Amino acid sequence: MATASHSLTALLKQTTIDDHEAVLKACNVTLKQSKGDLQVLHTKSVALLKLDRYDDALRALEEGGDRLKDKAGPERAYALYKLNELEQARTVAESVLDNRGARHVEAQASYRLEDFPRAAAIYKDLEDSQATIENEENDLRINGGAADAQLEWRKQGYLAQRRKPASEDMDAFETAYNAACGSIARGEFGRGEVLLRRAKDLCNALNELSEEEKIAERLPISVQQVYVLKKLRKFEEAERVASELSVEDIPDLSTRQIAQINKLALESKPSNPFLSHRLFESAHTLPKTDKPFQFQADLIKQNGLTLDLLTLKSSGVISSTSKILSSSLSPTASSHVNHLAVINAAAHAQSELGKLGLKKILPLLKKRPKDIGLILTIVQLYILTQNPGSATTVLETLLKRLSEPPVEDKDQDILHSPGLIATLISLYSSQNRHSQIKSTLAKAASYWRHKSKPPVSLLQAAGLSLLTSSSSPSSSPEVSTLATEIFSTLHAADPSCRVALAGFVAAKTSSVSPSTTFTPPQPETDKLTAIPRLVAGIDVDDLEASGVPFPAPSATSSSNTTKAGKKRALDEAAKPAKKRVRKSTLRKDYEQGKAPDPERWLPLRDRSTYRPKGRKGRAKAAFTQGGVVDKVQATSGGGKAGEVVKPAVNPGLVVGAGGKSNKGKGKKGKK
């Protein structure tokens, strides 16, 4: 054994540290003399790893048995990691103690397995301890930033080590890119755009990289820029960046697929959805080692189903989504499953909106009464039809079902989830149901404040609502106590949050009795903005002169007016009530303020404005036989001058207008 080791040492003296082929040959020559030499097998496995021959390196370690596996744990874990045996690689690396290299492999395997909280925790432990590897500090910052960005994408940002970009992130393009991804995941697209430009500028300024390497590094940055610019509605700039992007030159297949989808998504509605569907489906089949992350795969799946709807493949969408929905538990907080439920409802409604869409979707509620995605779709359609009452009823019914026993822990989390609570509060607010808002927020806050990671925004909203109601004289002491507990929980979790500190001081002040005074600690109150600074720009005299504006009373408040408000003063004269005239009883040519025609009740032929048509009609109009004589006529004989001649009319006969006699015009009898 010693002779073999000495011969290996002599052979290695003839090679250089970078000549891995020569080291491998030396090891093979030595192993011909001594096949079981563990040191030689260990050296051979390292040389094979340097040559990217991971299968051969793993076989060399297997030849050494358990003793060599225990001794070369980091090398074995790295070989398994490169062969995409991630679970086994993490297990082997975890078993190696007091080895920073093994910790790096464990963190990388956890990252690839999408166990981002564990990866971020390992990188944090490595950063806190003293670095012993060259350039390790820079690598830890880059990899830790990537893990934090992934946590933001997974909506687990509260587990991230760094949530805001630091000045050190501006020194390298990798850290700037990771900081940009974290900002984009939080919805901060303006900051993300600035960080992406910084990352691209730093990449272009590097002298250590060749031009080909710079192009390869800039491609993912450009792909992300297209997405951000579209979100910022900078369509012209997004199209310019997309036109400069050569999709086929991207070596990473998953990044190439995402770039293709981002270019297709530049149009808000595809001009030719069938062509877009064909381009979407023409993407390359991704290998096992180059799969996108799960949140990316979910979005790609949803994009494909949306294109299926645009190409009139509703039945196929219903079939594929129904299989996933039937196999998943309901209710669920999974964003992907709830998105699929929305797409399934759109397929059943055949993309119809309003009442027609509701008519097709409502029968699904009997089959899936706890489907959150379906119920939120129905709520949205009710809002579009100006029916917030029905929307509120549907959501309240869901929450009532979730609270029915037996209630599991996951159902409790969904029952008090910030998204559902915020939707219900928004519906209550649109209907001025303030008491329901306060009770709903108080119930949700009472549940979440005992959790290890409560939703901060929900607790702040509940605390402010309770704090407002506690100032009224009719409020109970329990309201002030609950508000104090909520803000004290928030202040203990984040002492630097000024909202929590101000709420805690206000709640504590309102909860004490009038006989006692509460004096907050001076170091705490010094963090708050001074009151003179808050009111520095307010002109009190101007406000007093302007008066206090009051909002217009709503229909509900006006109907609830007190009797005292309806009474009038005794000396006030009673005004006659205005009679309301229905429009249906008015004539067509009615004009308000214009006097009606006094002859409107007479027949047309008797009105003064009547003018008959034709020669005969005008001739008949010259005589007034059978009508009223409205002129004084002088007699030519038989009567006295100046008298009015009255026609002799038999009261029993009707004087006709015609001059012909009706004599002999009777009916003929039968012969």
Side-chain angles (χ1 to χ4, degrees), residues 427-550:
L427 291 172
Y428 284 154
S429 178
S430 65
Q431 302 168 64
N432 295 325
R433 298 169 64 177
H434 301 292
S435 59
Q436 285 86 349
I437 292 175
K438 294 175 183 176
S439 61
T440 303
L441 285 173
K443 190 183 300 183
S446 300
Y447 174 78
W448 282 112
R449 68 187 183 88
H450 297 295
K451 299 291 183 178
S452 58
K453 292 292 183 180
V456 177
S457 58
L458 190 147
L459 290 182
Q460 287 181 354
L464 291 174
S465 177
L466 294 172
L467 189 60
T468 304
S469 61
S470 65
S471 60
S472 62
S474 60
S475 64
S476 60
E478 290 79 6
V479 174
S480 300
T481 304
L482 182 57
T484 305
E485 292 176 354
I486 290 173
F487 281 114
S488 62
T489 302
L490 292 172
H491 181 57
D494 186 8
S496 62
C497 180
R498 294 193 293 178
V499 175
L501 176 59
F504 173 72
V505 173
K508 194 69 176 177
T509 304
S510 61
S511 62
V512 298
S513 60
S515 59
T516 60
T517 57
F518 169 70
T519 304
Q522 192 67 24
E524 299 291 337
T525 55
D526 289 342
K527 298 178 182 178
L528 300 176
T529 306
I531 295 178
R533 183 178 177 185
L534 291 174
V535 299
I538 299 177
D539 189 349
V540 179
D541 296 333
D542 186 41
L543 286 177
E544 187 177 1
S546 301
V548 181
F550 288 95

Side-chain angles (χ1 to χ4, degrees), residues 409-429:
D409 291 340
K410 67 178 186 64
D411 292 345
Q412 285 285 346
D413 290 346
I414 297 172
L415 174 63
H416 300 96
S417 62
L420 289 180
I421 296 298
T423 305
L424 186 60
I425 294 302
S426 178
L427 291 172
Y428 284 154
S429 178

Side-chain angles (χ1 to χ4, degrees), residues 236-382:
E236 295 182 358
E237 191 173 353
E239 291 178 357
R240 179 184 60 79
V241 176
S243 62
E244 298 173 355
L245 186 63
S246 180
V247 177
E248 296 301 327
D249 294 338
I250 301 177
D252 188 29
L253 295 181
S254 60
T255 306
R256 184 186 304 179
Q257 184 183 25
I258 295 172
Q260 182 67 38
I261 295 173
N262 284 350
K263 293 186 73 171
L264 290 175
L266 283 177
E267 301 180 17
S268 58
K269 186 176 182 181
S271 56
N272 189 345
F274 297 94
L275 180 59
S276 300
H277 186 273
R278 181 179 178 182
L279 293 173
F280 181 85
E281 295 294 335
S282 64
H284 300 282
T285 304
L286 301 179
K288 184 180 179 181
T289 57
D290 197 8
K291 293 286 186 181
F293 291 104
Q294 188 59 48
F295 79 93
Q296 294 173 326
D298 292 343
L299 292 175
I300 292 172
K301 175 72 174 177
Q302 295 165 21
N303 289 336
L305 292 172
T306 304
L307 286 173
D308 288 341
L309 287 177
L310 292 175
T311 52
L312 309 178
K313 297 181 179 181
S314 299
S315 58
V317 173
I318 294 173
S319 176
S320 59
T321 53
S322 297
K323 291 179 181 178
I324 301 176
L325 293 175
S326 60
S327 61
S328 61
L329 297 176
S330 182
T332 177
S334 172
S335 174
H336 178 57
V337 175
N338 289 325
H339 274 99
L340 293 182
V342 175
I343 295 174
N344 179 273
H348 276 93
Q350 296 181 349
S351 302
E352 293 286 349
L353 298 176
K355 296 181 179 180
L356 185 59
L358 279 170
K359 184 178 180 181
K360 297 179 180 179
I361 293 176
L362 283 175
L364 298 176
L365 197 56
K366 297 180 180 179
K367 300 179 182 178
R368 291 144 48 190
K370 294 184 179 181
D371 191 332
I372 295 178
L374 173 63
I375 289 174
L376 290 179
T377 304
I378 294 174
V379 168
Q380 182 65 27
L381 291 178
Y382 271 130

Side-chain angles (χ1 to χ4, degrees), residues 552-579:
S554 61
T556 305
S557 61
S558 61
S559 63
N560 295 332
T561 308
T562 60
K563 293 182 179 180
K566 291 183 178 180
K567 292 182 180 180
R568 65 177 183 270
L570 294 176
D571 56 348
E572 183 181 352
K575 297 180 180 180
K578 292 183 179 180
K579 185 177 180 181

